[in-house]
């Protein structure tokens, strides 16, 4: 051992080969500031020890290096530009020093080598990966771009076009794909990784591998003439901007950085990279996307904790088949938990099984599963008309029709047919859990489990804690949702729970705009293109189902009459009365038909305008800012109320629920990140200017006090 630190060590092996091993005390290796400092000291040893003839970089973990320490990012991004530049220069100095060592170097890559981990292996002359390796530069997903030399070395190693694809998509690649690109030089079985790396470095030391030319290639300008460069980067910019759009500046900025540095040497190119990184780090999008990543990690940690506190789910059951029940059964089975699917008639069971089979067939056609996996998953779903085997389930999801009397009767019957320690959950979107719990003898074993449709696509599951739900019940349900591959967020009970409670004020704001003369197509366009929603409110109502929306709006009106009770007929009522239910029957605000490729396309309907004339005022052209404010303020105010009332535990939970549940624009980070970015004083001033529109536009006293105290949510 010639150097030892908590994060890494350097050992001199036989034949003058030094091994730099990353092996931090925690579960993974990552480039936090302490690791960078240790690496700086280790490189000094590597530079000055005359006995060293070659270097191999290895990892003592199951993953090589997962990247920079993202928990440090938000504080780093707040630093003055000069200090942030100093952090980048420290990292680049040590990677440059590794690249400039007076002997050949190689990285032996196992597991994930992402972000800074990928940039660390790019600094060596060669790379050999085992079959578990996944390599990539995901920084643009966080609103930034590689800052430790990734935009400099990767284009010179695999070509500008390939590197731009890696950097702008943020994808990670399995070892065989990385080999095809040229990012790694060889792929071997895990048990052969170390020997392969030692063999290659010995060949390089012996002059059998030309490591000097490899190194020179990474430090020279890109080999593109002016015409080639113009064509390549112009095409890339157009494609990247078309996909990323104006709200996500990082991918486009990364392309421009690679282009600007194309004719520079390493020093100049790293300067361009650093300047662009600093600019991106100061954007609202970077703050939002990094914040979301940290909130997501917190939720994952919470799910792991719940798995230890709750009971294991080895078998589940779904009560109520059909499309929703079939979707839940599929999701459970495909993630490894066998499931019993019960209903009272064969037709519903057939529909449930057809739903699961259809989803699996789609996966098979796309090459994501094979026939063996398909058969295994289908065989782990057991349809039944009786309760005979349901008592084998550790947790049961009731998913019958959204009717409180029917659900209450079904739940009571179910409880009599299962063991005393079985966890029973209800997949309900609006009915209060405390109301349903009254039908049960063991309400402590009961909670809500609100899936979003379609189940296989939507990542969120709301876990609703009733007044009598036990901690063990909640933990068991959270762990099961996580095992299903979902993101569970625990909320307290109220009408609509969290997501629907805050969504319907948004719809009410939209309906008020229509009543005041707005064009629903213009509103959708602004909310999609300007604010960033995947669907505007009219389109979203059509997708949710106007009948579903009409029912839920009534539940919200009953639950919160002081804010959500209707005084007049609105646009949702008009569409419902005309049986225009949206996509499900082909007509709503828009009409729906499939194009030649079988994709559903929407078209504004003249009939919609005729019907809406009953509730719409004189045509008015609202500005985009007016449209955004009038739609968003009711939602934002209700989200704030939910936090103040304890319906949702933290701003992070609320923001993740909005993003995963209804597609709130990620680049805005959720409602609370959006408020912090705007400034509470400015938001309150804006809301007060529209206060005459009704109670939904009234800011809470708590928010006013928070603003007066100069506090933020994050």
């Amino acid at each position: 051992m010639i150097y030892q630190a908590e994060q890494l060590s350097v050992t001199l092996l036989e034949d003058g080969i030094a091994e730099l091993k990353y092996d931090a005390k925690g579960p993974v290796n990552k480039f936090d500031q302490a690791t960078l400092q240790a690496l700086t000291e280790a490189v000094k040893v590597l530079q000055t020890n005359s006995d060293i003839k070659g270097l191999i970089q290895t990892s003592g973990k199951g993953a090589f290096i997962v990247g920079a320490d993202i928990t440090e990012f938000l504080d780093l991004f707040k630093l003055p530009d000069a200090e942030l530049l100093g952090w980048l220069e420290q990292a680049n100095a040590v990677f440059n020093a590794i690249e400039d060592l007076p002997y050949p170097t190689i990285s032996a890559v196992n597991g994930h080598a992402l972000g800074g981990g990928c940039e660390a292996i790019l600094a060596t002359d060669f790379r050999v990966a085992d079959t578990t390796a996944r390599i990539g530069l995901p920084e643009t997903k966080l609103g930034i771009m590689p800052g430790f030399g990734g935009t400099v070395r990767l284009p010179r190693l695999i070509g500008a076009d390939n590197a731009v694809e890696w950097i702008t998509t943020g994808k990670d690649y399995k070892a065989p794909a990385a080999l095809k690109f040229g990012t790694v030089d060889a792929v071997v079985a895990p048990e052969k990784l170390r020997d392969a790396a030692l063999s290659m470095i010995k060949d390089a030391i012996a002059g059998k591998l030309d490591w000097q030319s490899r190194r020179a290639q990474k430090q020279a300008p890109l080999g593109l003439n002016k015409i080639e460069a113009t064509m390549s980067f112009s095409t890339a910019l157009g494609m990247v901007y078309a996909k990323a759009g104006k709200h996500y500046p990082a991918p486009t900025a990364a392309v421009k950085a690679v282009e600007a540095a194309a004719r520079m040497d390493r020093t100049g190119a790293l300067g361009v990279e650093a300047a662009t990184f600093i600019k991106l780090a100061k954007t609202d999008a970077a703050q939002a996307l990094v914040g979301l990543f940290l909130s997501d990690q917190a939720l994952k940690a919470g799910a792991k904790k719940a798995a230890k506190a709750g009971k294991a789910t080895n078998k589940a059951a779904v009560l109520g088949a059909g499309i929703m029940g079939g979707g839940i059964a599929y999701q459970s089975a495909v993630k490894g938990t066998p499931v019993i699917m019960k209903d009272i008639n064969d037709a519903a069971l057939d529909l449930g099984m057809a739903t699961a089979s259809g989803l699996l067939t789609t996966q098979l056609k796309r090459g994501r599963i094979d026939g063996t996996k398909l058969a295994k998953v289908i065989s782990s779903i057991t349809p039944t008309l009786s309760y005979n085997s349901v008592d084998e389930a550790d947790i049961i999801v009731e998913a019958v029709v959204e009717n409180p009397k029917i659900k209450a009767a079904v739940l009571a019957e179910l409880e009599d047919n299962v063991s005393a320690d079985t966890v029973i959950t209800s997949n309900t979107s609006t009915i209060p859990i405390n109301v349903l719990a009254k039908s049960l003898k063991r309400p402590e074993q009961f909670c809500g489990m609100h899936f979003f449709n379609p189940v296989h696509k939507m990542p969120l599951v709301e876990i609703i804690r009733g007044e009598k739900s036990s901690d063990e019940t909640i933990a068991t349900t959270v762990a099961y949702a996580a095992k299903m591959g979902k993101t569970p967020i625990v909320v307290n009970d109220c009408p609509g729970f969290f997501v629907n409670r805050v969504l319907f004020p948004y719809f009410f704001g939209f309906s008020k705009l229509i009543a005041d003369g707005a064009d629903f197509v213009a509103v959708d366009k602004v909310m999609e293109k300007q604010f960033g929603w995947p669907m505007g409110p009219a389109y979203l109502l059509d997708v949710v189902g106007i009948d579903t929306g009409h029912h839920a709006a009534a539940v919200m009106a009953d639950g919160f009459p002081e804010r959500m009770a209707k005084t007049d007929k609105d646009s949702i009522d008009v569409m419902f009365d005309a049986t225009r239910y949206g996509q499900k029957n082909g007509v709503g605000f828009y009409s729906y038909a499939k194009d030649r490729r079988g994709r559903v396309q929407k078209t504004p309907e003249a009939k919609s305008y005729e019907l809406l004339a009953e509730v719409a005022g004189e045509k008015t052209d609202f500005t985009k800012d007016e449209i955004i404010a009038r739609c968003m303020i009711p939602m934002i105010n209700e989200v704030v109320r939910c936090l103040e009332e304890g319906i949702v535990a933290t701003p992070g939970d609320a923001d993740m629920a909005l993003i995963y549940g209804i597609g709130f624009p990620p680049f805005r980070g959720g409602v609370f990140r959006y408020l912090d970015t705007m400034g509470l004083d400015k938001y309150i001033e804006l809301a007060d200017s529209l206060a005459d529109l009704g109670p939904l536009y009234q800011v809470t006293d708590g928010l006013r006090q928070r603003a007066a105290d100069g506090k933020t949510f994050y």
Side-chain angles (χ1 to χ4, degrees), residues 199-464:
S199 176
M200 287 181 71
I201 202 67
K202 287 176 182 177
D203 284 347
I205 293 169
K208 297 178 183 178
L209 295 175
D210 187 358
W211 56 275
Q212 292 96 337
S213 64
R214 281 295 200 90
R215 185 175 296 185
Q217 176 186 340
K218 287 189 295 167
Q219 298 183 11
L222 278 171
L224 293 172
N225 63 42
K226 191 172 183 179
I227 295 176
E228 290 173 334
T230 300
M231 291 181 62
S232 175
F233 291 116
S234 295
T235 301
L237 276 171
M239 293 176 65
V240 168
Y241 187 81
K243 190 167 185 179
K246 65 179 181 180
H247 298 305
Y248 295 90
T252 301
V255 177
K256 291 179 179 179
V258 174
E259 179 181 20
R263 297 192 171 197
M264 297 179 180
D265 61 9
R266 185 181 71 184
T267 299
L270 287 172
V272 171
E273 180 184 83
T276 309
F277 182 98
I278 291 169
K279 184 177 180 181
L280 288 171
K282 303 296 185 180
T283 62
D284 294 338
Q287 295 286 323
L289 294 171
V290 171
L292 290 179
F293 177 88
L294 296 175
S295 294
D296 187 59
Q297 294 300 106
L299 289 173
K300 286 182 169 65
K304 288 180 181 178
K305 186 177 179 181
K308 296 177 182 178
K311 293 180 292 186
T313 298
N314 298 311
K315 181 173 279 190
V318 177
L319 200 63
I323 293 175
M324 194 70 180
I328 295 170
Y330 159 83
Q331 192 65 34
S332 181
V334 82
K335 292 298 183 179
T337 302
V339 61
I340 300 157
M341 185 166 59
K342 184 197 177 298
D343 209 290
I344 58 174
N345 65 74
D346 285 319
L349 289 176
D350 290 343
L351 179 57
M353 291 302 295
T355 299
S357 296
L359 293 169
L360 287 165
T361 300
T362 299
Q363 296 292 306
L364 181 67
K365 289 178 179 178
R366 293 176 178 174
R368 294 176 181 172
I369 60 171
D370 56 23
T372 302
K373 176 69 179 288
L374 185 151
K376 183 179 179 181
V377 173
I378 284 292
S379 66
S380 67
I381 303 175
T382 305
T384 181
L385 295 171
S386 73
Y387 281 108
N388 291 342
S389 57
V390 173
D391 63 354
E392 299 173 6
D394 302 298
I395 189 168
I396 300 172
V397 182
E398 169 273 305
V400 302
V401 64
E402 187 78 352
N403 179 297
K405 291 183 179 179
I406 294 175
K407 280 187 179 288
V410 168
L411 288 166
E413 182 182 67
L414 171 64
E415 186 180 41
D416 290 337
N417 284 277
V418 297
S419 64
D421 60 351
T422 301
V423 171
I424 298 175
T425 72
S426 177
N427 174 48
T428 173
S429 56
T430 57
I431 304 169
I433 293 303
N434 292 326
V435 171
L436 295 176
K438 292 177 181 178
S439 64
L440 297 173
K441 301 168 189 172
R442 299 185 296 275
E444 67 277 3
Q445 296 292 115
F446 176 66
C447 69
M449 197 175 189
H450 177 205
F451 290 86
F452 291 76
N453 198 26
V455 175
H456 67 287
K457 286 185 178 181
M458 300 300 288
L460 178 67
V461 175
E462 277 186 302
I463 310 298
I464 303 101

Side-chain angles (χ1 to χ4, degrees), residues 48 67 85 99 124 130 162 218 224 274 367 387 517 631 635 637 688:
T48 56
L85 178 61
E99 190 169 51
T124 58
D130 72 20
N162 289 332
K218 287 189 295 167
L224 293 172
Y387 281 108
C631 285
M635 172 184 277
N637 285 345
D688 285 348

